[in-house]
C-alpha cells in the first residue's frame, strides 16, 4: 500500500539522512518512477526533501527542518507500527510486517513489538475476506449485497458501504441501507454471501448523530440482583471492581442499567443458578418463563 511506503521512506530518511532513488526503489520493490512520485507527495504534505546530483548525492530531508516536531518521533513511529501490525491481523497480506522488515533497525520497531493487538481473534480468514471486499467497494463507490442474520430472522441487504468499523470488540460495516433508507450498522460475523455489485453510488454526507455509533443506546432499564461470589470475576470484567456491594452473607448485590430488556435477560440467563434477580417484577417473570421453556425442552 502506498501509505505504508510513504511512511517507510520518511522513516528511512530519518535514519540514514541521505539515500538514492535506486536504493529506495529496491528497498520498497517499486520502480524509480514510483519513488519520484512518492517524493513529490511527501513534499506536498509539507516535509521538504532535497535531491542532490553527483557523487555522494541523493535524497534527504532539508537541513534545519525540525524532525522532532514535524516528522515522526520514535514514540509516534512505534504507535504507527503497532497500528499497522494490528491491521495485519485482519488482512491476507502482511503489509505492516513487510514495512517493518524493509525499514529495519529503528528503535521504534522494538518498542512496537512490546504490544500485540489481534483484531480478528478466531475469525481471521473470514473477516479478512469481508474487509477486503468492503474496502474495495468503498474505494470503487459500488453497492454491496449480503445475507444478514438477526435475532428474529434473516434478510437480504443492499447497502452503500461507507465505513468498516471496529467497535464493541467486533467488526461492522456502516452504510446506507436502500431498503430502510437510512444509515445502519451490520456485524460482519452475522453477514454472509457478501458480493460487490455493478451498481455505483455517490457518497452521501453522514449526519453527525449517525457518526456517534451507539449514542442511541442508553442503560436506563434498571435491574437489581444478587450474585454468588464465585462469579465475581465476571462482574469485575464487565463493570469493574467497584460495581457491587458485598452483603453479610458473602453474596454480591448489584443495581445496573441495561440498554434493552433482551440484553438484560441474556445476561442473567448466562449465570444459571448463580444469580437471583430481585426486580423489576417483569424481568423476574421473563426469567421464570425462559427457565420453564428450557425445562420443557428437556422433559
Amino acid at each position: 500500500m502506498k501509505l505504508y511506503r510513504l511512511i517507510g521512506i520518511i522513516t528511512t530518511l530519518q535514519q540514514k539522512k541521505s539515500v538514492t532513488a535506486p536504493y529506495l526503489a529496491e528497498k520498497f520493490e517499486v520502480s524509480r518512477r514510483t519513488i519520484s512520485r512518492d517524493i513529490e507527495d511527501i513534499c506536498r504534505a509539507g516535509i521538504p526533501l532535497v535531491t542532490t546530483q553527483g557523487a555522494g548525492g541523493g535524497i534527504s530531508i532539508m537541513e534545519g527542518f525540525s524532525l522532532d516536531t514535524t516528522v515522526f518521533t520514535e514514540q509516534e513511529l512505534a504507535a504507527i507500527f503497532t497500528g499497522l501490525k494490528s491491521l495485519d491481523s485482519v488482512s491476507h497480506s502482511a503489509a505492516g510486517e513487510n514495512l517493518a522488515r524493509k525499514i529495519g533497525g529503528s528503535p521504534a520497531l522494538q518498542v512496537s513489538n512490546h504490544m500485540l493487538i489481534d483484531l480478528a481473534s478466531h475469525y481471521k480468514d473470514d473477516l479478512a475476506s469481508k474487509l477486503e471486499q468492503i474496502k474495495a467497494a468503498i474505494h470503487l463507490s459500488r453497492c454491496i449485497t449480503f445475507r444478514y442474520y438477526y435475532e428474529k430472522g434473516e434478510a437480504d441487504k443492499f447497502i452503500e458501504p461507507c465505513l468498516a468499523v471496529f467497535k464493541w470488540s467486533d467488526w461492522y460495516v456502516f452504510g446506507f441501507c436502500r431498503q430502510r433508507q437510512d444509515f445502519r450498522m451490520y456485524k460482519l460475523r452475522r453477514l454472509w454471501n457478501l458480493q460487490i455489485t455493478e451498481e455505483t453510488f455517490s457518497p452521501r454526507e453522514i449526519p453527525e448523530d449517525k457518526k456517534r455509533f451507539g449514542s442511541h443506546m442508553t442503560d436506563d432499564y434498571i435491574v437489581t440482583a444478587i450474585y454468588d461470589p464465585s462469579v465475581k470475576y465476571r462482574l469485575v470484567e464487565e463493570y469493574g471492581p467497584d460495581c457491587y456491594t458485598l452483603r453479610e452473607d458473602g453474596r454480591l448485590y448489584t443495581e445496573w442499567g441495561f440498554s434493552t430488556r433482551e440484553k438484560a435477560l441474556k445476561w442473567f440467563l448466562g449465570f444459571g443458578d448463580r444469580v437471583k434477580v430481585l426486580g423489576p417484577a417483569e424481568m423476574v417473570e421473563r426469567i421464570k418463563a425462559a427457565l420453564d421453556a428450557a425445562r420443557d425442552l428437556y422433559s
Side-chain angles (χ1 to χ4, degrees), residues 25-43:
E26 181 178 358
K27 187 179 187 69
F28 295 102
E29 300 173 357
V30 294
S31 68
R32 292 182 60 179
R33 180 176 297 179
T34 297
I35 291 297
S36 296
R37 288 197 293 264
D38 289 343
I39 297 302
E40 292 176 0
D41 289 338
I42 292 171
C43 290

CSV table of all heavy atoms in Angstrom, one decimal, residues 25-43:
chain,number,residue,atom,x,y,z
A,25,ALA,N,14.0,2.4,-4.4
A,25,ALA,CA,13.2,1.6,-5.3
A,25,ALA,C,13.4,0.1,-5.0
A,25,ALA,O,12.5,-0.7,-5.0
A,25,ALA,CB,13.6,1.9,-6.8
A,26,GLU,N,14.7,-0.3,-4.8
A,26,GLU,CA,15.0,-1.7,-4.5
A,26,GLU,C,14.4,-2.1,-3.1
A,26,GLU,O,13.9,-3.2,-2.9
A,26,GLU,CB,16.5,-1.9,-4.5
A,26,GLU,CG,16.9,-3.3,-4.2
A,26,GLU,CD,18.4,-3.6,-4.3
A,26,GLU,OE1,19.1,-2.6,-4.6
A,26,GLU,OE2,18.8,-4.7,-4.0
A,27,LYS,N,14.5,-1.2,-2.1
A,27,LYS,CA,14.1,-1.4,-0.8
A,27,LYS,C,12.6,-1.7,-0.7
A,27,LYS,O,12.1,-2.6,0.0
A,27,LYS,CB,14.5,-0.3,0.1
A,27,LYS,CG,14.2,-0.5,1.6
A,27,LYS,CD,14.7,0.7,2.4
A,27,LYS,CE,14.6,0.5,3.9
A,27,LYS,NZ,15.6,-0.4,4.4
A,28,PHE,N,11.8,-0.9,-1.4
A,28,PHE,CA,10.4,-1.0,-1.4
A,28,PHE,C,9.7,-1.7,-2.6
A,28,PHE,O,8.5,-1.7,-2.7
A,28,PHE,CB,9.8,0.4,-1.2
A,28,PHE,CG,10.1,1.1,0.1
A,28,PHE,CD1,11.1,2.0,0.2
A,28,PHE,CD2,9.5,0.7,1.3
A,28,PHE,CE1,11.5,2.6,1.4
A,28,PHE,CE2,9.9,1.2,2.5
A,28,PHE,CZ,10.9,2.2,2.6
A,29,GLU,N,10.6,-2.2,-3.4
A,29,GLU,CA,10.2,-3.1,-4.5
A,29,GLU,C,9.2,-2.4,-5.5
A,29,GLU,O,8.2,-3.0,-5.8
A,29,GLU,CB,9.6,-4.4,-3.9
A,29,GLU,CG,10.5,-5.2,-3.1
A,29,GLU,CD,9.9,-6.4,-2.4
A,29,GLU,OE1,8.7,-6.5,-2.5
A,29,GLU,OE2,10.6,-7.1,-1.6
A,30,VAL,N,9.6,-1.2,-5.8
A,30,VAL,CA,8.8,-0.4,-6.8
A,30,VAL,C,9.8,0.2,-7.8
A,30,VAL,O,11.0,0.1,-7.7
A,30,VAL,CB,8.0,0.7,-6.2
A,30,VAL,CG1,6.9,0.1,-5.3
A,30,VAL,CG2,8.8,1.6,-5.4
A,31,SER,N,9.3,0.8,-8.8
A,31,SER,CA,10.1,1.5,-9.9
A,31,SER,C,10.6,2.8,-9.4
A,31,SER,O,10.1,3.4,-8.4
A,31,SER,CB,9.3,1.7,-11.1
A,31,SER,OG,8.3,2.7,-10.9
A,32,ARG,N,11.7,3.3,-10.0
A,32,ARG,CA,12.2,4.6,-9.7
A,32,ARG,C,11.2,5.7,-10.0
A,32,ARG,O,11.2,6.7,-9.3
A,32,ARG,CB,13.5,4.9,-10.5
A,32,ARG,CG,14.7,4.0,-10.1
A,32,ARG,CD,16.0,4.3,-10.8
A,32,ARG,NE,16.4,5.7,-10.6
A,32,ARG,CZ,17.5,6.2,-11.2
A,32,ARG,NH1,18.3,5.5,-12.0
A,32,ARG,NH2,17.8,7.5,-11.0
A,33,ARG,N,10.4,5.5,-11.0
A,33,ARG,CA,9.3,6.5,-11.3
A,33,ARG,C,8.3,6.6,-10.1
A,33,ARG,O,7.9,7.7,-9.8
A,33,ARG,CB,8.6,6.1,-12.6
A,33,ARG,CG,7.5,7.1,-13.0
A,33,ARG,CD,6.9,6.7,-14.3
A,33,ARG,NE,7.9,6.8,-15.4
A,33,ARG,CZ,7.6,6.5,-16.7
A,33,ARG,NH1,6.4,6.0,-17.0
A,33,ARG,NH2,8.6,6.6,-17.6
A,34,THR,N,8.0,5.4,-9.6
A,34,THR,CA,7.1,5.4,-8.4
A,34,THR,C,7.7,6.2,-7.2
A,34,THR,O,7.0,7.0,-6.5
A,34,THR,CB,6.7,4.0,-8.0
A,34,THR,OG1,6.0,3.4,-9.1
A,34,THR,CG2,5.9,4.0,-6.7
A,35,ILE,N,9.0,6.0,-7.0
A,35,ILE,CA,9.7,6.7,-5.9
A,35,ILE,C,9.7,8.2,-6.2
A,35,ILE,O,9.5,9.0,-5.2
A,35,ILE,CB,11.2,6.2,-5.8
A,35,ILE,CG1,11.2,4.7,-5.3
A,35,ILE,CG2,12.0,7.1,-4.8
A,35,ILE,CD1,10.6,4.5,-3.9
A,36,SER,N,9.9,8.6,-7.4
A,36,SER,CA,9.8,10.0,-7.7
A,36,SER,C,8.5,10.6,-7.4
A,36,SER,O,8.4,11.7,-6.8
A,36,SER,CB,10.2,10.2,-9.2
A,36,SER,OG,11.5,9.8,-9.5
A,37,ARG,N,7.4,9.9,-7.7
A,37,ARG,CA,6.1,10.4,-7.4
A,37,ARG,C,5.9,10.4,-5.9
A,37,ARG,O,5.2,11.3,-5.3
A,37,ARG,CB,5.0,9.5,-8.0
A,37,ARG,CG,4.9,9.7,-9.5
A,37,ARG,CD,3.6,9.1,-10.1
A,37,ARG,NE,3.6,7.6,-9.9
A,37,ARG,CZ,3.9,6.8,-10.9
A,37,ARG,NH1,4.3,7.2,-12.1
A,37,ARG,NH2,3.9,5.5,-10.7
A,38,ASP,N,6.4,9.4,-5.2
A,38,ASP,CA,6.3,9.4,-3.7
A,38,ASP,C,7.0,10.6,-3.1
A,38,ASP,O,6.5,11.2,-2.1
A,38,ASP,CB,6.9,8.1,-3.1
A,38,ASP,CG,6.1,6.9,-3.4
A,38,ASP,OD1,4.9,7.1,-3.8
A,38,ASP,OD2,6.6,5.8,-3.3
A,39,ILE,N,8.2,10.9,-3.6
A,39,ILE,CA,8.9,12.1,-3.1
A,39,ILE,C,8.1,13.4,-3.3
A,39,ILE,O,8.1,14.2,-2.4
A,39,ILE,CB,10.3,12.2,-3.8
A,39,ILE,CG1,11.2,11.0,-3.5
A,39,ILE,CG2,11.0,13.5,-3.4
A,39,ILE,CD1,11.4,10.7,-2.0
A,40,GLU,N,7.5,13.5,-4.4
A,40,GLU,CA,6.6,14.7,-4.7
A,40,GLU,C,5.5,14.7,-3.7
A,40,GLU,O,5.1,15.8,-3.2
A,40,GLU,CB,6.1,14.6,-6.1
A,40,GLU,CG,7.2,14.8,-7.2
A,40,GLU,CD,6.6,14.7,-8.6
A,40,GLU,OE1,5.4,14.4,-8.7
A,40,GLU,OE2,7.4,14.8,-9.6
A,41,ASP,N,4.9,13.6,-3.4
A,41,ASP,CA,3.7,13.5,-2.5
A,41,ASP,C,4.2,13.9,-1.1
A,41,ASP,O,3.5,14.6,-0.4
A,41,ASP,CB,3.1,12.1,-2.5
A,41,ASP,CG,2.3,11.8,-3.7
A,41,ASP,OD1,1.9,12.8,-4.4
A,41,ASP,OD2,2.2,10.6,-4.0
A,42,ILE,N,5.4,13.5,-0.7
A,42,ILE,CA,5.9,13.8,0.6
A,42,ILE,C,6.1,15.3,0.7
A,42,ILE,O,5.8,15.9,1.8
A,42,ILE,CB,7.1,13.0,0.9
A,42,ILE,CG1,6.8,11.5,1.1
A,42,ILE,CG2,7.8,13.5,2.2
A,42,ILE,CD1,8.0,10.6,1.2
A,43,CYS,N,6.7,15.9,-0.3
A,43,CYS,CA,6.9,17.3,-0.3
A,43,CYS,C,5.6,18.1,-0.2
A,43,CYS,O,5.5,19.1,0.5
A,43,CYS,CB,7.7,17.7,-1.6
A,43,CYS,SG,9.4,17.2,-1.6
